[in-house]
């Protein structure tokens, strides 16, 4: 039986006690080049607005909202265990970030991603009202 079919997934705020398991959970995603590496200090900074997806007391997903200002926040470090993908876990994690941003009065939430369709399905778009777009210039 598929593990994901036999267990409920709870999305909840991350705690400092979760950080060693979060670091371990995201390690394979970093090794694959899908996430940027995070130091323990960087993970500590993400705790106030981070969320984990948990099934059978195991972390199966992680995301954090990085708040830059009252105007802008970013969905960061989204990762979902392969056996829990395509079951709404990622969307629940992103929705938790968007809800937190809304609670804080943040006006815009962005995501930098290679999974465009996923974020489009979460309500993100390439432009904002007034045709505002994000443009980037790599420096390395």
């Amino acid at each position: 039986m598929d593990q994901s079919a036999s267990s409920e997934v709870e999305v909840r705020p991350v705690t400092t006690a979760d950080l060693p398991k979060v670091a371990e959970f995201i390690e394979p995603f970093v090794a694959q080049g899908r996430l940027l590496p995070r130091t323990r200090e960087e993970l500590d900074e993400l705790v106030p607005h981070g969320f984990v997806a948990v099934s059978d007391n195991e972390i199966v997903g992680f995301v954090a909202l990085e708040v830059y200002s009252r105007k802008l926040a970013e969905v960061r470090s989204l990762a979902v265990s392969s056996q829990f993908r395509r079951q709404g876990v990622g969307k629940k994690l992103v929705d938790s970030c968007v809800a937190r941003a809304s609670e804080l009065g943040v006006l815009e939430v962005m995501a930098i991603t290679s999974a465009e369709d996923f974020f489009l399905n979460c309500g993100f778009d390439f432009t904002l009202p007034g045709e505002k777009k994000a443009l980037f210039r790599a420096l390395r």
Side-chain angles (χ1 to χ4, degrees), residues 31 39 55-57 64 95 126 132 134:
T39 65
S55 177
D56 293 331
N57 294 317
D95 287 348
F126 292 104
K132 292 194 298 185

Side-chain angles (χ1 to χ4, degrees), residues 22 25-38 62 76-80 112:
V22 167
F25 175 75
I26 66 172
E27 197 172 284
F29 296 91
V30 171
Q32 296 166 7
R34 296 178 65 200
L35 289 181
L36 294 174
R38 299 277 175 235
F62 174 73
R76 303 277 309 263
S77 301
L78 176 63
V80 176
I112 299 172

Side-chain angles (χ1 to χ4, degrees), residues 55-106:
S55 177
D56 293 331
N57 294 317
E58 291 295 320
I59 292 175
V60 299
F62 174 73
V63 72
L65 180 74
E66 186 160 348
V67 180
Y68 299 119
S69 70
R70 185 149 157 62
K71 293 180 182 179
L72 182 65
E74 179 185 358
V75 174
R76 303 277 309 263
S77 301
L78 176 63
V80 176
S81 179
S82 60
Q83 62 264 43
F84 286 86
R85 289 191 193 131
R86 301 201 179 281
Q87 298 178 37
V89 175
K91 185 168 184 344
K92 285 181 185 178
L93 287 164
V94 169
D95 287 348
S96 295
C97 286
V98 171
R100 176 63 54 86
S102 182
E103 290 166 10
L104 296 171
V106 174

